[in-house]
Amino acid sequence: MTKTKGALIGCGFFAVNQMHGWQDLDDVEIVAICDRDPERLSVVGDQFGVERHYQSAEALFADGGFDFVDIATTVGSHRALVELAASHRVPAICQKPFAPTLADAKAMVAAADAAGIPLMIHENFRWQTPILAVKAVLDSGVIGEPFWGRVSFRSGFDVFSGQPYLAKGKRFIIEDLGIHSLDIARFLFGDASRMTARTRRVNPDIAGEDVATMLLDHDNGITSIVDVSYATKLPEEPFPETFVEIDGTTGTLRLGKDYKLTVHGPEGTVQSVVAPNLLPWASRPWHNIQESVALIQKHWAERLAEGREPDTSGRDNLKTFALVEAAYLSAESGETVTIADLL
Ligand code: NAD
Ligand code: 89V
């Protein structure tokens, strides 16, 4: 079998999951890795048996020999790296958040389009098994036409020990975590036209907001609430579970703690557990996110082979990123923001 060859840029905290995800795919091989930090290059190179190491992305692309690049660096480098991939006409995956600003994200989509390469944002939360289960219930029609929804992520988990940069940015929870929740809202309820948001910083040791409450008007008339918090101290820590509530014209759906799904419809109530699979390399409580990494990367490999745009393409993700930008604008001004004014 001829394998699709990939290169990974950024060998930090999260990239290890991405390397495992690639290793799980029989028809993909990561042939080269790149990180400015030689120690991370050695750690990841040794763990996954990758011999070609680069400290500069320019040198990696100059040598070439791969069919796509997986960019797993933090947001500040995303635009330059995607534009570099485009200049070499190499299909690219870029981690979320897409870019520091919407203008950067638009420029990245334009660069990929001009080069004729696919660009996928690694927006994996919609690929979580429980979220896919919720979508399947909605599509089945059992709760009728949804008219109200809530996507909620409230936790007191210490994310700063694994990802210290999260404590330093002026923007925190909407840009890092709310971005996933907003994408889930789009996935379940469709595109949104207006955003109203309020934010707070509860933790005095960080620079950005750690609580956000967002109200979305969706194009199809659904109203949803997306609420996120890293300042919520619960008796049982739910990290990293997303809870979902949906009311429809003929029933309701609730996704709650420990992945319990309750669907109430005209025929009665069905309860089930829609827990993610614990992949051999995964560890609790991250296994839900880790499985979604494997699933989105499988999706990329399939779409690349078929020559079709991935679901979370750069073009699609501009609409999620616009909600992030709108939430910050709304929280700052106190006004409702019209999404079309940003796109
Ligand atoms: P990290 O700081 O641990 O790792 C980033 C690595 O990239 C570092 O080793 C750094 O040396 C390297 N790097 C940065 N700029 C570079 C450049 N220009 N060239 C080469 N190497 C460079 O960060 P992380 O926690 O692994 O996060 C990386 C990205 O993944 C972030 O955008 C973060 O938001 C995202 N993330 C996504 C999820 C998810 O579920 N999708 C979860 C966690 C983190
Ligand atoms: O998924 C993420 O983007 C992570 C975390 C779950 C910690 O917010 O940064």
Side-chain angles (χ1 to χ4, degrees):
M1 184 204 302
T2 316
K3 294 196 179 204
T4 303
K5 295 187 176 67
L8 176 91
I9 307 179
C11 300
F13 169 79
F14 201 69
V16 174
N17 298 311
Q18 294 171 223
M19 287 300 291
H20 277 296
W22 295 126
Q23 213 170 40
D24 280 357
L25 294 175
D26 291 337
D27 51 356
V28 177
E29 182 185 8
I30 298 298
V31 297
I33 55 174
C34 169
D35 199 297
R36 292 194 292 226
D37 178 350
E39 203 180 311
R40 290 307 304 168
L41 271 178
S42 304
V43 169
V44 171
D46 289 350
Q47 186 177 353
F48 295 94
V50 184
E51 280 167 17
R52 285 177 57 193
H53 294 186
Y54 295 86
Q55 277 186 256
S56 116
E58 285 76 10
L60 169 81
F61 280 104
D63 279 2
F66 43 88
D67 307 304
F68 73 92
V69 65
D70 188 12
I71 299 167
T73 58
T74 40
V75 66
S77 52
H78 287 178
R79 178 171 174 178
L81 291 172
V82 165
E83 288 179 345
L84 189 60
S87 73
H88 288 266
R89 297 192 193 282
V90 173
I93 307 170
C94 177
Q95 255 297 352
K96 50 62 62 176
F98 202 147
T101 69
L102 192 54
D104 288 318
K106 286 179 185 172
M108 291 155 74
V109 170
D113 280 351
I117 55 153
L119 168 64
M120 181 178 86
I121 302 306
H122 185 123
E123 179 40 79
N124 50 322
F125 272 38
R126 62 162 78 183
W127 286 94
Q128 291 175 4
T129 289
I131 302 302
L132 294 172
V134 167
K135 176 78 167 138
V137 171
L138 272 185
D139 291 347
S140 77
V142 68
I143 70 162
E145 283 297 316
F147 58 84
W148 179 88
R150 178 179 176 203
V151 177
S152 178
F153 185 110
R154 312 193 75 80
S155 165
F157 190 80
D158 171 23
V159 286
F160 310 108
S161 55
Q163 297 165 262
Y165 57 91
L166 294 178
K168 296 185 188 127
K170 221 178 109 206
R171 292 178 167 192
F172 168 39
I173 199 167
I174 301 175
E175 182 185 76
D176 181 67
L177 185 273
I179 197 168
H180 291 305
S181 315
L182 290 166
D183 191 67
I184 290 173
R186 281 189 57 233
F187 179 57
L188 297 178
F189 310 131
D191 289 337
S193 50
R194 300 198 319 157
M195 159 73 73
T196 312
R198 300 291 180 266
T199 58
R200 271 203 67 160
R201 177 166 60 87
V202 175
N203 182 344
D205 299 327
I206 65 171
E209 82 293 347
D210 52 3
V211 180
T213 308
M214 297 167 269
L215 174 70
L216 284 74
D217 299 303
H218 293 265
D219 295 349
N220 51 20
I222 298 175
T223 305
S224 78
I225 294 165
V226 175
D227 60 290
V228 289
S229 167
Y230 273 128
T232 300
K233 291 153 186 66
L234 290 159
E236 285 179 81
E237 175 51 58
F239 181 87
E241 291 183 47
T242 296
F243 298 159
V244 179
E245 299 174 39
I246 308 175
D247 292 1
T249 48
T250 60
T252 55
L253 172 161
R254 299 289 183 265
L255 172 65
K257 179 87 174 54
D258 299 326
Y259 306 108
K260 286 196 186 101
L261 180 64
T262 305
V263 180
H264 179 71
E267 307 297 324
T269 308
V270 178
Q271 290 188 311
S272 59
V273 176
V274 289
N277 295 299
L278 180 65
L279 295 175
W281 48 267
S283 54
R284 294 177 193 278
W286 288 89
H287 62 299
N288 185 27
I289 292 177
Q290 288 166 317
E291 187 192 20
S292 70
V293 167
L295 289 174
I296 194 173
Q297 292 182 181
K298 181 167 179 287
H299 172 71
W300 165 261
E302 287 167 357
R303 289 290 170 91
L304 189 65
E306 293 164 3
R308 291 173 59 205
E309 185 163 303
D311 287 356
T312 58
S313 64
R315 199 183 333 281
D316 175 84
N317 202 256
L318 281 180
K319 293 187 233 168
T320 294
F321 199 75
L323 295 178
V324 170
E325 202 66 44
Y328 283 112
L329 284 171
S330 173
E332 200 178 306
S333 65
E335 306 286 327
T336 294
V337 172
T338 301
I339 306 305
D341 291 346
L342 304 179
L343 283 169

